[in-house]
Amino acid sequence: MIPNTNHYWLTNAHVPLPLLVNYPTTESGDVALVDLEIRDGAIAQIRPAGQPSSDDLNDDRPAVDLKRGLVWPCFVDLHTHLDKGHIWGRSPNRSGTFQDAVVTVEADREKYWEAEDVYRRMEFGLKCSYAHGTSAIRTHLDLVGEQAEISVGVFKSLKQDWSDRLTLQAVSLVPLETFLTDEGEKLARLMAEVGGTLGGLVLMAENLNAQLDRVFELAAAYGLNLDFHTDESGDPDDITLRYVAEAALRHNFTGQIVCGHCCSLAVQTPTEAMKTLELVKQAGIGIVSLPMCNLFLQDRNQIASHAFPPLSGSADAEPAVWNQFATHTPRWRGMTLLHELKHYGIPIAVSSDNCRDPFYGYGDHDGLEVFTQATRICQLDTPYSDWCRIVTTTPADLMGLPTQGRIGVGFPADLVLFKARYYSELFSRPQVDRVVLRNGQAIDTTLPDYAELDDLWMETH
């Protein structure tokens, strides 16, 4: 389909309007119909489809008619856990709960996470991401104790080995209290050495402000950005996101801060949630939601905590009626307040998070799947507006990647071509026949075979 040449045209392409940079148009709606000139791995020209130019009379460059198929920039995956990935086969989470996920991963890490094991599983995730059309990935790394040197070493190797295909960033993931020990400064130094980001799991605690103050001090000292896990629960009293925002303002922090999950915002009163959103806006914090993982984990068998109208008799008797069953239908799905955050002008993204591990038993590192599921779960439609930025432009900005996640003259021709012509078609099929261009050339989009990892887990299958 794509000519084997460094100079050609993609014609009759539907490009989402919010993803076009410096493209003057009077078109309305979700997409613009354009022709794209690809030259030497970059986008040399964008013009309205079918508009002739003086060069066309002598133009013998090949052209590919996309027949109004959608063209997107490559995806940017802001929040992943590549080091945990693909261990479900040997360490499944039978209950599906968050608590058991934590315990199961800890046990797997202690038993298996030598350098070769971590490298192969992380690279498997990178192969999937690349084939699906991702160009940049930020991964959180469990850096507890001796695992820090192992996993950071693996990350360094992968960053070098994949430097011609993917932009990789690392974030430290430890309990935030770790930064009150000598280990905290070691982690800051490690992240600085790999051009990474300082981060951790933020939990409600009496000394939370002290923990945050130390993290912000280290980030400032080493010139690091920050990325936190916050409020991944259905408890309205979890307000660590608010504490992070207050700390950022207290320290006049000028680096970029990203906070992931923020699930508890959705179960707080509007008044309480708005207090947090106001502070997040002032602090310039970006929010990343993880729709598929939180859909999987949140509200697992928590029926007694909900107040539902009784089936019969008094409300007091109702929990006993429900609790006779071994399993229950989840009543809320763990998503944060995406619409409200957007209305406040807060940068928001959605990302893959975990894949085939105890925190999420599924997933394939596919930015389109993440966007599709987020659209369905959170009703990011009618109109589709600029929601397309949440897996492209916005995460690229939060990662400091100004040429990724957008389409414009002079930008790399890192593109994903779909036969789907409109959003309704894009979201209705998995788009397995997509074409991925990197530097203007089509890549092999064959996904890695799961059998590649068989010897890492067959003994416990």
Side-chain angles (χ1 to χ4, degrees):
M1 177 181 180
I2 301 301
N4 186 22
T5 176
N6 64 354
H7 196 181
Y8 62 92
W9 282 89
L10 297 173
T11 64
N12 294 313
H14 264 161
V15 177
L17 277 168
L19 302 182
L20 283 166
V21 178
N22 297 327
Y23 177 74
T25 180
T26 58
E27 294 191 56
S28 60
D30 298 314
V31 295
L33 186 63
V34 301
D35 294 339
L36 300 131
E37 181 184 8
I38 309 300
R39 181 192 299 169
D40 297 329
I43 300 170
Q45 186 180 171
I46 303 175
R47 68 187 190 194
Q51 178 176 300
S53 74
S54 58
D55 295 333
D56 287 344
L57 292 176
N58 301 312
D59 191 352
D60 59 355
R61 289 165 289 180
V64 178
D65 186 353
L66 298 182
K67 301 177 181 178
R68 297 179 179 260
L70 285 164
V71 174
W72 279 54
C74 283
F75 305 111
V76 177
D77 212 347
L78 177 61
H79 182 123
T80 68
H81 291 268
L82 296 174
D83 61 341
K84 292 184 177 74
H86 307 286
I87 64 173
W88 182 275
R90 70 189 185 201
S91 297
N93 179 1
R94 300 300 187 191
S95 72
T97 64
F98 183 92
Q99 292 76 15
D100 282 354
V102 172
V103 172
T104 304
V105 166
E106 287 178 352
D108 189 90
R109 183 174 64 234
E110 292 176 4
K111 186 174 182 180
Y112 294 108
W113 289 24
E114 298 296 335
E116 181 185 1
D117 175 84
V118 176
Y119 186 100
R120 288 176 60 189
R121 290 186 293 99
M122 288 183 68
E123 185 172 54
F124 189 91
L126 296 182
K127 291 177 181 178
C128 297
S129 298
Y130 182 68
H132 284 306
T134 291
S135 61
I137 301 172
R138 175 180 286 184
T139 182
H140 295 258
L141 299 174
D142 284 18
L143 300 183
V144 177
E146 296 179 358
Q147 192 63 46
E149 294 289 346
I150 295 172
S151 293
V152 170
V154 168
F155 175 80
K156 286 180 180 178
S157 297
L158 286 168
K159 186 175 182 179
Q160 178 177 340
D161 295 346
W162 281 77
S163 61
D164 60 335
R165 289 163 287 177
L166 289 168
T167 300
L168 300 183
Q169 293 183 357
V171 184
S172 61
L173 180 58
V174 293
L176 208 66
E177 61 190 14
T178 304
F179 291 99
L180 295 178
T181 70
D182 293 340
E183 193 68 22
E185 184 144 10
K186 293 178 183 177
L187 291 175
R189 191 179 305 116
L190 274 176
M191 289 299 97
E193 289 173 359
V194 296
T197 297
L198 203 60
L201 173 62
V202 190
L203 300 173
M204 296 297 292
E206 290 185 4
N207 65 342
L208 179 53
N209 277 328
Q211 296 175 19
L212 286 167
D213 286 343
R214 182 56 179 154
V215 174
F216 276 87
E217 289 168 1
L218 287 169
Y222 285 87
L224 298 171
N225 292 325
L226 291 165
D227 192 326
F228 298 109
H229 281 61
T230 55
D231 302 329
E232 190 177 1
S233 80
D235 185 348
D237 293 328
D238 283 347
I239 55 169
T240 64
L241 176 60
R242 186 183 304 177
Y243 276 83
V244 171
E246 289 172 341
L249 295 170
R250 188 165 64 245
H251 286 265
N252 295 311
F253 189 71
T254 58
Q256 180 63 63
I257 306 171
V258 174
C259 288
H261 297 288
C262 313
C263 306
S264 65
L265 274 178
V267 292
Q268 293 168 6
T269 66
T271 299
E272 286 301 307
M274 287 172 66
K275 290 179 184 177
T276 297
L277 266 58
E278 290 281 2
L279 290 166
V280 168
K281 172 69 174 177
Q282 292 177 41
I285 295 172
I287 303 298
V288 56
S289 178
L290 299 313
M292 299 188 299
C293 184
N294 288 137
L295 196 73
F296 179 83
L297 286 174
Q298 296 299 310
D299 214 25
R300 283 266 179 179
N301 300 325
Q302 298 294 312
I303 196 69
S305 66
H306 293 279
F308 300 115
L311 291 178
S312 62
S314 70
D316 292 339
E318 187 267 338
V321 174
W322 285 119
N323 285 335
Q324 67 182 301
F325 304 123
T327 59
H328 307 286
T329 303
R331 297 319 203 255
W332 84 293
R333 309 312 293 120
M335 295 298 293
T336 194
L337 301 179
L338 287 185
H339 288 270
E340 292 79 358
L341 287 159
K342 186 180 182 208
H343 291 316
Y344 265 79
I346 296 167
I348 50 175
V350 295
S351 291
S352 295
D353 205 13
N354 301 71
C355 283
R356 297 182 63 240
D357 69 30
F359 285 91
Y360 182 54
Y362 315 110
D364 201 35
H365 311 274
D366 182 2
L368 177 62
E369 182 190 15
V370 176
F371 185 45
T372 298
Q373 294 304 326
T375 299
R376 294 170 177 171
I377 297 163
C378 289
Q379 300 174 355
L380 311 182
D381 51 25
T382 59
Y384 291 103
S385 182
D386 59 356
W387 287 111
C388 54
R389 291 176 174 165
I390 65 177
V391 289
T392 52
T393 313
T394 302
D397 290 344
L398 293 171
M399 290 175 65
L401 305 173
T403 64
Q404 297 202 37
R406 63 208 82 204
I407 294 175
V409 174
F411 287 73
D414 294 339
L415 306 170
V416 186
L417 317 182
F418 301 102
K419 288 185 178 179
R421 300 164 297 173
Y422 307 97
Y423 279 110
S424 61
E425 295 176 358
L426 184 71
F427 294 143
S428 297
R429 291 178 178 171
Q431 309 301 329
V432 294
D433 55 354
R434 73 190 75 173
V435 174
V436 178
L437 305 183
R438 300 304 302 274
N439 296 315
Q441 300 300 307
I443 68 166
D444 182 359
T445 56
T446 303
L447 292 164
D449 194 321
Y450 290 130
E452 290 183 19
L453 301 178
D454 275 357
D455 61 315
L456 297 184
W457 61 271
M458 284 296 288
E459 64 183 84
T460 56
H461 181 54

